[in-house]
Amino acid sequence: MNEKLILWNNFCEKYINFNVGVPLFSTRDDRIVDIKQYGKNNRLILRRSEEMENFIINEVTHVLEDYKNKNDVYEGLIYMMYKIKNNLIVPLYIGKSEKYGKNDNNLSRNISNIKSNKYFFCRWGDNYAYHIGDLSAVVCPGHPKEKMNRKYQIWASRLFENYPTTEPKLKEDIYFWISAWQKGNTGIFTEFGGTPLTALEYQLISVAANLFPEELLNQEGVNRGQKVIWILLLDIYSKILLENLHNIG
């Protein structure tokens, strides 16, 4: 079996498996996604599943309590949109949401007040410039052309049979996974030990891009991720080497 595929499957078995992920969208029969009105102009947007929203709230709450208590255990959250094919978790999009905002010690607005924060909602918010809002601009009718981002046009073509429409139908079942990432958690390369959240994101994208080049929607970050991952790995190797030399001395 492909060595990278073994790494991928081992990571998925440890952190995701088939019992953890939940449906991304609220759907009716035949995979038709529910839509709702949103904002002052009552624009139409895609509806997240209740399971997905609860999943995000539960995981983000770990990070919020960590921030409140100043324990500094969690770095933020890692998430994945995926499908299942031949008993394999096939990633469609991989991303992260940091605990801190642009000002280092301030809690990120993407996760603050998460139970009511459906406009940002850990990057999956209803506002434009967030995943659900921008995908809805392409899939649901009535949105201005300037809000139809090329990135989400690609998402829409990959996920939906036809659009724009008030009854968008998924091509296949789409799932979502998220995890509050603790300092010291091991990533996909277990031999390196504890993996920082930023390194984890690049590792996962790099491996996924190699294994699933026709499926992964992180295309805008793939080349950057593959370059950065080797820099990060080199840094980790250097730290291990220095630690071993110190122990020998």
Side-chain angles (χ1 to χ4, degrees):
M1 184 183 290
N2 184 307
E3 182 179 348
K4 288 187 175 65
L5 185 57
I6 294 174
L7 290 172
W8 178 260
N9 286 340
N10 287 344
F11 180 86
C12 290
E13 287 175 9
K14 181 176 182 178
Y15 290 106
I16 307 175
N17 70 57
F18 296 107
N19 299 318
V20 176
V22 297
L24 174 55
F25 300 105
S26 172
T27 59
R28 289 173 277 153
D29 295 336
D30 298 325
R31 295 196 294 268
I32 294 175
V33 176
D34 295 323
I35 60 175
K36 65 179 182 180
Q37 293 181 325
Y38 176 74
K40 294 180 180 179
N41 58 357
N42 290 323
R43 62 182 180 270
L44 299 179
I45 64 169
L46 302 165
R47 186 184 294 272
R48 295 175 297 267
S49 75
E50 184 177 353
E51 300 97 318
M52 186 266 201
E53 292 194 347
N54 289 336
F55 198 179
I56 285 182
I57 290 169
N58 289 340
E59 290 300 308
V60 170
T61 297
H62 294 309
V63 181
L64 295 180
E65 291 178 351
D66 181 62
Y67 177 83
K68 178 181 177 182
N69 297 324
K70 299 181 180 180
N71 292 327
D72 201 28
V73 172
Y74 294 96
E75 294 184 56
L77 302 108
I78 186 78
Y79 58 75
M80 184 190 308
M81 175 175 68
Y82 68 94
K83 64 182 181 179
I84 297 174
K85 186 176 181 180
N86 298 325
N87 292 319
L88 184 67
I89 291 175
V90 178
L92 300 175
Y93 189 82
I94 298 166
K96 65 177 172 63
S97 185
E98 300 276 3
K99 177 165 65 175
Y100 298 111
K102 294 181 179 180
N103 296 324
D104 288 341
N105 294 321
N106 292 336
L107 184 67
S108 170
R109 69 176 187 173
N110 291 322
I111 63 173
S112 63
N113 303 312
I114 193 64
K115 291 183 179 180
S116 59
N117 181 2
K118 300 300 174 64
Y119 28 91
F120 302 143
F121 206 59
C122 197
R123 300 298 308 163
W124 288 88
D126 296 332
N127 276 10
Y128 291 128
Y130 289 82
H131 295 317
I132 293 298
D134 278 358
L135 182 58
S136 298
V138 178
V139 175
C140 299
H143 292 260
K145 287 186 178 181
E146 62 268 22
K147 297 298 184 180
M148 299 178 186
N149 189 300
R150 173 61 181 163
K151 169 181 174 178
Y152 293 95
Q153 290 175 1
I154 296 173
W155 280 40
S157 66
R158 189 72 57 82
L159 300 179
F160 292 94
E161 289 190 358
N162 64 305
Y163 56 89
T165 175
T166 56
E167 293 192 336
K169 184 175 181 179
L170 291 169
K171 292 180 178 180
E172 49 202 328
D173 294 328
I174 303 299
Y175 299 94
F176 179 81
W177 166 79
I178 187 170
S179 179
W181 194 252
Q182 292 188 36
K183 293 182 176 180
N185 277 3
T186 55
I188 195 166
F189 300 113
T190 56
E191 63 269 30
F192 298 140
T195 305
L197 180 61
T198 298
L200 174 69
E201 181 191 32
Y202 284 132
Q203 288 178 5
L204 292 176
I205 291 173
S206 181
V207 173
N210 183 276
L211 292 173
F212 311 100
E214 302 302 319
E215 304 284 0
L216 192 67
L217 290 165
N218 288 85
Q219 295 305 314
E220 78 284 353
V222 167
N223 292 333
R224 178 170 59 96
Q226 289 176 336
K227 290 177 182 178
V228 171
I229 188 172
W230 295 116
I231 297 172
L232 292 168
L233 294 181
L234 179 61
D235 180 60
I236 294 171
Y237 266 129
S238 299
K239 290 178 180 177
I240 293 173
L241 178 60
L242 288 172
E243 186 175 321
N244 289 336
L245 289 174
H246 177 73
N247 291 335
I248 291 172

